[in-house]
Amino acid sequence: MTQMTKTEGSNKSNSDLLSHYTQMRRVRTFEDRVGELYLRGASAGSMLHLSIGEESAAVGVCSAMRDGDTFTTHHRGHGIFLARGADPNRMMSEIGGKETGYCRGKGGSMHIADMSLGHLGANAIVGGGIPAIVGAALVAKHRKTGAVSIAFFGDGAMQQGVLYESMNMAALWDLPAIFVCINNQWGMGTRIDQATKSTKLHERAQAFGLNAETVDGRDVLDVVEAANRIVDGARAGTPGFLAIDCYRFYGHGRKDKSPYRSDEEEAEGRAKDPVEFSRRMLIKNGVNVEELDAVDAKIDAEMDATIEFTIKSEEPALNTMFRDVFAPGQPEPEPVTTRIDRVLSKEQY
C-alpha cells in the first residue's frame, strides 16, 4: 500500500502539526549544531552522519510510540533519539566524547544508547541493530507488556540478509516488531535504483506476511497516520514494515561533499523539505509567522546551549574506560600500565 498524494494546506489539526513542527525543528537545529561542533574541532571523531531532510520519519514514527516500547537505530540516528525524548545536552556531550554524555563519551555519534528511554543502541554496521528488536519483541510478547520494538535503518540495509531473516522470524512468531526503512535515496554513494531493481521496498515485507506501507516523508502528518496503522497492527500481533521516502540533504558523512550527485538533483530533493512543508501548511492554516519565528528562536537558544555544555564538560578519566563494559559488581580489569608498574616494581623481586 502506498500513500496517496495530497495538496498543501489540507485541513488537519494545527495543534498536532505545530507540535510535530516543533519537534522536527529541534531535530534539524540539533543536527546543524552537530556540524558546528565538528567545525570547532570539538567532536569525538569525524564520521558524523546527519539526518537533515529525514525529520518527519523520526518525529512521525516516534509519535506513535509509548512508554515501554524499545528501538534500535542506525548510524544516522541522532534525530530519532531526540524525537524519542533524549536530552540534547547529553546527546551533544556524547558526540563530543565527554563524561556527561549518555555513554560517558564511549559511544560517540554512532553508538548512543539509553535503556531508560528504550534505546537498545545505535549501530555503525549497516542493518546491525535489526535482529535485536526481534529479541525485544519476543520478550514483550511472552511478558504480555503490550510493547512494540522498532528497528530504524536506511535503504542500504534493504540489501542485508539479516533484515529478511528478522522479518521472517517476526512473521512466523507473530511478534510486535516493526521495521522502519528511512529511504533517503542514497546508501553512501550509491543511489537506491542502482542498488536494487525494484524500489517498492514495502512489497518485500509483504511477501513475508507483514503489514507494509510506503509513505512520502514530505508531510509529517502522513507519516504519523501510517506509523499509527503499523504500530497498532504490531500491538495486535501482526509485525509491520514502513518505508518512508525522504531525501538526504548532505553527503553520507559530515566530510562528504557528495560529488556523486548533481546540483539539480539536490535542489529537487531539498524542495521536499518536511520542515519547511509543515511551516507552509501552518501559515496557510492561519498560524502567525511571528509565532513560528518565536518557536524557532527558542529552539535555536536551546541547541546553542548544547554546544557550550559540551565544550565545558570534562573528558572521561582514563581509568574509567572499562566502566559500564562489565556487569555491575564485576571487578574491572587491571589497566595495562598498572600491571606493568606492578610487574616491574621492586616488590616483585
Side-chain angles (χ1 to χ4, degrees):
M1 174 179 177
T2 55
Q3 190 71 32
M4 296 180 65
T5 303
K6 62 175 194 58
T7 58
E8 289 189 32
S10 60
N11 187 21
K12 292 184 178 179
S13 168
N14 273 358
S15 61
D16 287 347
L17 182 55
L18 181 58
S19 174
H20 297 319
Y21 169 82
T22 301
Q23 282 294 83
M24 289 195 296
R25 179 62 73 182
R26 291 181 75 242
V27 171
R28 171 72 56 89
T29 309
F30 180 86
E31 294 287 57
D32 283 338
R33 298 305 185 270
V34 171
E36 181 181 334
L37 191 75
Y38 168 75
L39 292 176
R40 290 193 184 195
S43 61
S46 60
M47 287 304 291
L48 304 174
H49 305 85
L50 306 181
S51 61
I52 294 175
E54 306 174 11
E55 293 86 358
S56 64
V59 173
V61 175
C62 287
S63 71
M65 299 175 70
R66 67 191 190 196
D67 290 347
D69 292 342
T70 56
F71 65 104
T72 63
T73 69
H74 51 340
H75 51 270
R76 203 178 303 279
H78 304 156
I80 298 164
F81 191 25
L82 187 61
R84 192 68 189 108
D87 178 350
N89 280 331
R90 293 184 65 192
M91 281 186 65
M92 191 67 76
S93 187
E94 184 61 37
I95 294 169
K98 297 300 183 69
E99 174 69 24
T100 50
Y102 270 101
C103 303
R104 304 177 190 270
K106 297 186 184 74
S109 172
M110 291 187 280
H111 298 93
I112 295 176
D114 180 31
M115 298 302 175
S116 68
L117 287 176
H119 192 348
L120 304 181
N123 206 303
I125 299 172
V126 176
I130 293 172
I133 69 110
V134 178
L138 181 62
V139 170
K141 179 179 179 179
H142 278 281
R143 291 181 177 175
K144 296 180 173 58
T145 64
V148 299
S149 193
I150 302 178
F152 292 90
F153 50 91
D155 49 279
M158 291 301 300
Q159 324 314 328
Q160 294 289 82
V162 70
L163 169 63
Y164 302 100
E165 295 168 355
S166 297
M167 289 196 297
N168 187 54
M169 187 173 291
L172 278 172
W173 294 349
D174 301 316
L175 300 181
I178 301 166
F179 305 87
V180 175
C181 176
I182 302 177
N183 181 8
N184 63 24
Q185 314 304 315
W186 286 90
M188 292 191 71
T190 303
R191 199 173 60 230
I192 182 66
D193 60 359
Q194 296 174 336
T196 179
K197 185 69 173 178
S198 174
T199 57
K200 296 179 180 179
L201 305 181
H202 65 282
E203 292 182 350
R204 305 185 194 182
Q206 287 174 337
F208 287 96
L210 276 66
N211 286 333
E213 298 185 32
T214 292
V215 63
D216 187 343
R218 184 176 65 156
D219 187 347
V220 66
L221 295 179
D222 286 344
V223 179
V224 169
E225 290 177 358
N228 279 323
R229 286 192 294 270
I230 295 297
V231 170
D232 288 347
R235 293 197 199 281
T238 302
F241 174 97
L242 182 62
I244 305 170
D245 287 339
C246 49
Y247 191 76
R248 191 186 77 199
F249 275 28
Y250 300 107
H252 175 67
R254 179 59 182 79
K255 296 194 300 183
D256 177 15
K257 297 181 179 180
S258 61
Y260 41 82
R261 305 194 304 195
S262 68
D263 293 341
E264 293 75 17
E265 178 194 335
E266 290 195 347
E268 182 179 351
R270 292 179 186 181
K272 301 174 182 178
D273 186 338
V275 180
E276 288 305 311
F277 180 82
S278 293
R279 184 183 176 91
R280 290 196 302 270
M281 285 183 64
L282 285 166
I283 293 171
K284 286 188 176 184
N285 290 342
V287 177
N288 293 329
V289 173
E290 292 79 9
E291 181 180 350
L292 296 177
D293 288 344
V295 169
D296 294 348
K298 182 178 180 180
I299 293 170
D300 284 341
E302 177 192 19
M303 297 310 170
D304 284 343
T306 68
I307 297 286
E308 299 309 312
F309 178 83
T310 299
I311 290 175
K312 292 178 180 179
S313 294
E314 297 291 332
E315 293 188 358
L318 185 61
N319 62 4
T320 66
M321 68 172 65
F322 295 112
R323 189 179 301 165
D324 304 319
V325 176
F326 296 89
Q330 294 293 315
E332 295 180 358
E334 184 181 22
V336 173
T337 53
T338 303
R339 186 167 69 251
I340 291 175
D341 289 342
R342 176 174 52 78
V343 171
L344 296 180
S345 68
K346 292 182 180 179
E347 286 104 7
Q348 301 297 316
Y349 298 97

